[in-house]
């Protein structure tokens, strides 16, 4: 798992009010570059060539020699008789390439794909001056950004086509199917589509009931500050309902020992995508005002008085701004080795004593009959954040007014996560903030949102449906062959890595062989 997120706020797949504003593209994947070692001499370079490369080099040399002979022979051009090969059947469907004397794929899928590529090109453009325009110019001309979208590309188009395939697959599942996973996916999608108008009928009631379960909200109803405990609220919001707020934690594979899993804790708690939105007020004042308007609208829809709601939400933004000030910039979190800090819970307690950590974790692990002791090791990825957070909580805990701010903030984190699932008036409230962040209000069909949401929750079930309907015949076999070729090339490149000793090479090959492909699983 990535231990930090580059909170780049890209085009959301949903236009119906998804407000998980910190979700974006994680950019922590490892980039592997292949370096071709420079041979010491021609012979060693030839030895490093693959059989295919040797064959191609031989053919190239032969053709070069043939061209020289042709040009040197003045009679060759007069005696040259063109040979016309019969046109192959481009729609021939077979398991192998059509034999035309050249290794070209002439199956229908190959031809139509090639035709699509040619159709998207702007061949009038000079590729040496603007290759992007040459390769994609015609596609850009014929595919303007659709209404409700802030960006558009071929991957978006492909995604929309795939959504339609999955939708048809879901709707075709019989209710008496024995596949429980597929039935759950169908039921989830159907509930999202709300054929009986249940969501509109219920309105705000499901969220109001949830707020009561959490302990109440000063904005929308009664709340007793004298009986409020941060410990209890965090255990409820985090461990029972899996909502955000202040920090986040999970159990994941230990970065330094992949054979074990360990509790991992990292900073969190900002609603807007990056800390800069809070700290650079001059550049982002309009966005912050729009965010406040959105918060006020949601609070009012849940029963809050408009003026009081706005004042209280202002204080929530101020609290988030305080969090942003000691949230580490993304560029300071790229060295995961440096960010890794392992410690027992007893040490974590000394670092950030604003809650009883042992009690907090046991509240979660009690559900799986696991007891956590103060000796249990945890990995903290931002000790300075937790230390500063503890000081901030101590400061705010000194007065009833500021305790109210903390609770308002925590409940707001739950409210903003749930509103996409409420009635239309809640979803529409998000459009203004979405436009401020992305440049568009959205506007795709509800069924597309429901497909995306179902995929987020039951992705493996939808993946199985897609594979069953789309991957057939040789598709899986070809994909597996491609992966094996990539793996082989990866392993072959090891010999060019001069820094890798023999023992490391053996372990690297074992690791490459242990990679499991999930094509059509």
């Amino acid at each position: 798992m990535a231990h930090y997120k580059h909170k780049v706020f890209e085009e959301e797949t949903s236009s119906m009010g998804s407000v998980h504003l910190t979700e974006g593209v994680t950019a922590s994947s490892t980039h592997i570059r292949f370096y071709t070692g420079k041979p010491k001499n021609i012979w060693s370079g030839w030895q490093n060539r693959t059989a295919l490369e040797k064959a191609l080099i031989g053919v190239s040399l032969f053709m070069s020699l043939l061209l020289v002979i042709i040009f040197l022979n003045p009679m060759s051009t007069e005696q040259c008789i063109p040979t016309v090969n019969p046109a192959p059947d481009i729609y021939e469907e077979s398991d192998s390439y059509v034999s035309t004397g050249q290794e070209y794929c002439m199956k229908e899928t190959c031809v139509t794909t090639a035709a699509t590529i040619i159709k998207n090109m702007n061949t009038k453009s000079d590729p040496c001056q603007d290759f992007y325009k040459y390769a994609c110019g015609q596609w850009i001309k014929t595919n303007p950004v659709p209404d409700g979208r802030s960006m558009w590309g071929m991957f978006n188009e492909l995604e929309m086509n795939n959504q339609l395939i999955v939708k048809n697959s879901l709707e075709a599942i019989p209710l008496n199917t024995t596949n429980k996973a597929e039935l759950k996916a169908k039921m989830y999608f159907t509930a999202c589509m709300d054929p009986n108008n249940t969501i509109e009928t219920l309105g705000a009631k499901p969220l109001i009931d949830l707020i009561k379960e959490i302990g109440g909200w000063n904005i929308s109803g009664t709340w007793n500050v004298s009986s409020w405990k941060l410990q209890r609220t965090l255990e409820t919001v985090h461990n029972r309902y899996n909502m955000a707020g202040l920090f986040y934690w999970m159990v994941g594979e230990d970065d330094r020992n992949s054979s074990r899993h360990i509790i991992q804790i990292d900073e969190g708690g900002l609603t807007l995508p990056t800390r800069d939105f809070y700290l650079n007020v001059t550049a982002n004042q309009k966005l912050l005002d729009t965010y406040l308007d959105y918060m006020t609208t949601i609070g009012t829809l849940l029963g809050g008085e408009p003026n009081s709601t706005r004042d209280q939400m202002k204080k929530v933004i101020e609290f988030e701004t305080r969090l942003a000030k000691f949230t580490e910039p993304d560029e300071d979190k790229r060295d995961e080795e440096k960010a890794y800090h392992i410690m027992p819970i007893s040490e974590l307690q000394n670092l950030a004593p604003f809650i009883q950590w042992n009690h907090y974790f046991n509240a979660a692990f009690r559900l799986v009959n696991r007891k956590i002791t103060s000796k249990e090791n945890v990995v903290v990825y931002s000790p300075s954040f937790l230390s500063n957070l503890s000081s901030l909580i101590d400061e705010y805990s000194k007065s009833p007014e500021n305790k109210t701010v903390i609770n308002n903030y925590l409940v707001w984190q739950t409210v903003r996560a749930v509103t996409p699932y409420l009635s239309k008036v809640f979803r529409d409230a998000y459009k203004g903030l979405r436009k401020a962040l992305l440049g568009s209000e959205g506007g795709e069909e509800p069924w597309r949102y429901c497909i995306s949401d179902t995929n987020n929750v039951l992705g493996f079930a939808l993946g199985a449906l897609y594979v069953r309907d789309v991957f057939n015949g040789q598709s899986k076999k070809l994909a597996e062959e491609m992966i094996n070729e990539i793996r082989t090339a990866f392993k072959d490149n090891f010999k060019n890595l001069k820094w890798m000793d023999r023992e490391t090479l053996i372990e690297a090959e074992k690791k490459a062989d242990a990679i499991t492909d999930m094509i059509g699983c």
Side-chain angles (χ1 to χ4, degrees), residues 240-463:
R240 183 175 177 184
Y241 292 109
N242 195 30
M243 298 297 176
L246 298 182
F247 62 92
Y248 80 90
W249 73 279
M250 60 165 285
V251 175
E253 190 177 274
D254 190 344
D255 290 338
R256 295 185 179 178
N257 185 352
S258 60
S259 65
R260 70 178 183 184
H261 286 72
I262 194 169
I263 296 173
Q264 301 169 352
I265 310 169
D266 204 351
E267 60 187 24
L270 300 183
T271 304
L272 296 177
T274 71
R275 65 196 293 268
D276 291 336
F277 283 111
Y278 298 92
L279 303 182
N280 192 348
V281 178
T282 302
N284 298 300
Q285 187 60 60
K286 185 177 180 180
L287 173 62
L288 291 170
D289 291 341
T290 305
Y291 176 39
L292 178 59
D293 291 341
Y294 171 65
M295 299 170 76
T296 303
T297 300
I298 295 298
T300 304
L301 289 172
L302 291 169
E305 193 279 323
N307 292 329
S308 174
T309 298
R310 190 173 187 84
D311 290 339
Q312 293 188 74
M313 289 301 194
K314 279 183 180 179
K315 294 179 180 178
V316 170
I317 294 179
E318 290 173 2
F319 182 78
E320 290 189 11
T321 302
R322 293 287 299 275
L323 289 175
K325 287 180 178 178
F326 52 78
T327 296
E328 292 185 48
D330 286 342
E331 57 269 21
D332 293 344
K333 295 179 286 186
R334 291 173 182 166
D335 188 345
E336 294 189 8
E337 188 69 20
K338 184 179 178 181
Y340 184 100
H341 298 86
I342 190 169
M343 62 185 71
I345 291 178
S346 57
E347 185 176 338
L348 173 63
Q349 188 65 49
N350 293 329
L351 174 70
F354 66 97
I355 59 171
Q356 294 296 320
W357 289 98
N358 201 53
H359 190 281
Y360 171 85
F361 286 123
N362 274 299
F365 284 95
R366 189 180 302 118
L367 301 174
V368 292
N369 298 318
R370 169 76 187 273
K371 184 176 177 59
I372 301 297
T373 70
S374 59
K375 296 180 180 179
E376 184 83 27
N377 280 331
V378 299
V379 175
V380 178
Y381 288 101
S382 184
S384 62
F385 175 86
L386 288 181
S387 178
N388 287 321
L389 174 60
S390 189
S391 299
L392 181 64
I393 295 298
D394 287 344
E395 176 188 334
Y396 269 71
S397 297
K398 294 177 180 178
S399 69
E401 293 80 9
N402 283 337
K403 284 184 179 180
T404 303
V405 173
I406 298 175
N407 187 69
N408 283 346
Y409 157 80
L410 287 171
V411 178
W412 166 243
Q413 297 302 309
T414 298
V415 167
R416 73 175 181 86
V418 174
T419 48
Y421 307 102
L422 298 181
S423 55
K424 187 175 183 297
V425 65
F426 283 92
R427 301 194 300 269
D428 287 346
Y430 174 58
K431 289 183 177 180
L433 180 57
R434 188 184 193 280
K435 186 172 183 178
L437 286 165
L438 295 176
S440 71
E441 294 182 350
E444 64 184 3
E445 303 95 322
W447 70 264
R448 292 193 181 277
Y449 165 78
C450 291
I451 288 294
S452 297
D453 191 38
T454 306
N455 186 56
N456 289 335
V457 177
L458 296 160
F460 281 107
L462 261 62

